[in-house]
Amino acid sequence: MRPGAVALAVSSLVALGAGPPAPAPLPARMTDTGGGTQLITAVAPKTASTRGTVTWWERRGGRWVEAGSAPARFGAKGLVRGTSRRQGTDTTPTGLYDLPFAFGIDAAPRGTAFPYRRVRRDSWWCQDNASRSYNRWTEPRAADCRAAESEHLISYGKRYAHALVVGFNYERPVRERGAGIFLHVNGRGATAGCVSVPKDAMRRILTWADPAKHPHIAVGTTRGATAVTRY
């Protein structure tokens, strides 16, 4: 077909309301989705952003389909590459991570299939770089884990009503890189490095997540070096 004819055909389709083809779903444009059939994406406009969107997806009939979405909050100092993050910087690490387990001060929402640990008064998350329990749940607090360098989980109230552990620096923890990165319920503002969503959204995510479908979470920006599509 001659170039002029092609242009005419495209113009005709636009005039009829067809328009250009819709972009592929975000997971289909990513380098890696973790190999499962469920995925959570947490996307901010840029690294300096403290707000963005969390979307959960699943594969149906060989295609990625959006199952839900919610407004999200990120670290008070924005986002940074997970491989170069430093502890205590109030930044959310970008990257693709597994989701080891869920936990909460409240009981698991009805229908939750994910492994769920109930927070008790002696539940702690160790962030002490000198401890053998670094970046681990410890109950009671480990003897070599200083309270001042740890999170007493029950003291976080509504923020930890429900949460999913993000596998950042979890399997083989690197000291000083960071500990205690979760997807949890919103607090009053930006986070100290976690990703947060409204409580209703967190409950919907927990009842949707299926460990048999190996869900992962991809955290990143819309574009640039930390674009979520790079993970």
Side-chain angles (χ1 to χ4, degrees):
M1 185 180 290
R2 291 176 298 161
V6 172
L8 180 61
V10 172
S11 298
S12 299
L13 287 172
V14 172
L16 290 171
L26 179 56
R29 293 181 274 124
M30 292 174 57
T31 302
D32 187 7
T33 57
T37 56
Q38 287 187 331
L39 177 71
I40 300 170
T41 55
V43 184
K46 54 187 178 180
T47 54
S49 302
T50 60
R51 294 178 179 268
T53 304
V54 160
T55 307
W56 46 108
W57 310 81
E58 57 188 46
R59 286 187 69 82
R60 300 177 191 164
R63 297 179 64 251
W64 284 102
V65 178
E66 181 180 321
S69 68
R73 293 173 177 170
F74 297 92
K77 299 293 179 63
L79 298 86
V80 68
R81 287 176 186 259
T83 52
S84 59
R85 185 182 186 270
R86 300 294 293 173
Q87 186 163 322
T89 56
D90 289 346
T91 53
T92 298
T94 65
L96 177 68
Y97 306 107
D98 64 354
L99 299 162
F101 62 92
F103 70 89
I105 293 172
D106 293 353
R110 185 183 300 273
T112 298
F114 226 75
Y116 190 93
R117 297 188 71 166
R118 192 78 181 269
V119 173
R120 303 192 301 184
R121 292 205 171 273
D122 60 350
S123 302
W124 294 76
W125 195 276
C126 183
Q127 299 184 358
D128 188 338
N129 283 279
S131 174
R132 290 172 294 178
S133 300
Y134 179 65
N135 203 19
R136 288 291 184 272
W137 177 296
T138 173
E139 192 176 283
R141 179 170 52 83
D144 69 343
C145 187
R146 292 169 293 173
E149 298 293 328
S150 303
E151 289 190 357
H152 190 201
L153 299 178
I154 202 165
S155 69
Y156 282 74
K158 67 177 183 179
R159 286 172 289 177
Y160 289 172
H162 303 295
L164 273 166
V165 176
V166 174
F168 166 73
N169 201 32
Y170 187 79
E171 185 176 354
R172 297 182 180 86
V174 176
R175 309 291 168 163
E176 304 291 348
R177 183 158 290 170
I181 299 298
F182 312 128
L183 173 62
H184 65 73
V185 176
N186 282 341
R188 292 184 177 180
T191 73
C194 296
V195 180
S196 71
V197 293
K199 184 174 183 178
D200 177 67
M202 194 67 234
R203 292 177 63 88
R204 285 187 287 143
I205 290 169
L206 285 175
T207 57
W208 161 85
D210 183 349
K213 296 181 179 179
H214 307 291
H216 284 65
I217 184 168
V219 184
T221 52
T222 304
R223 59 181 65 85
T226 54
V228 73
T229 50
R230 290 176 176 261
Y231 301 113

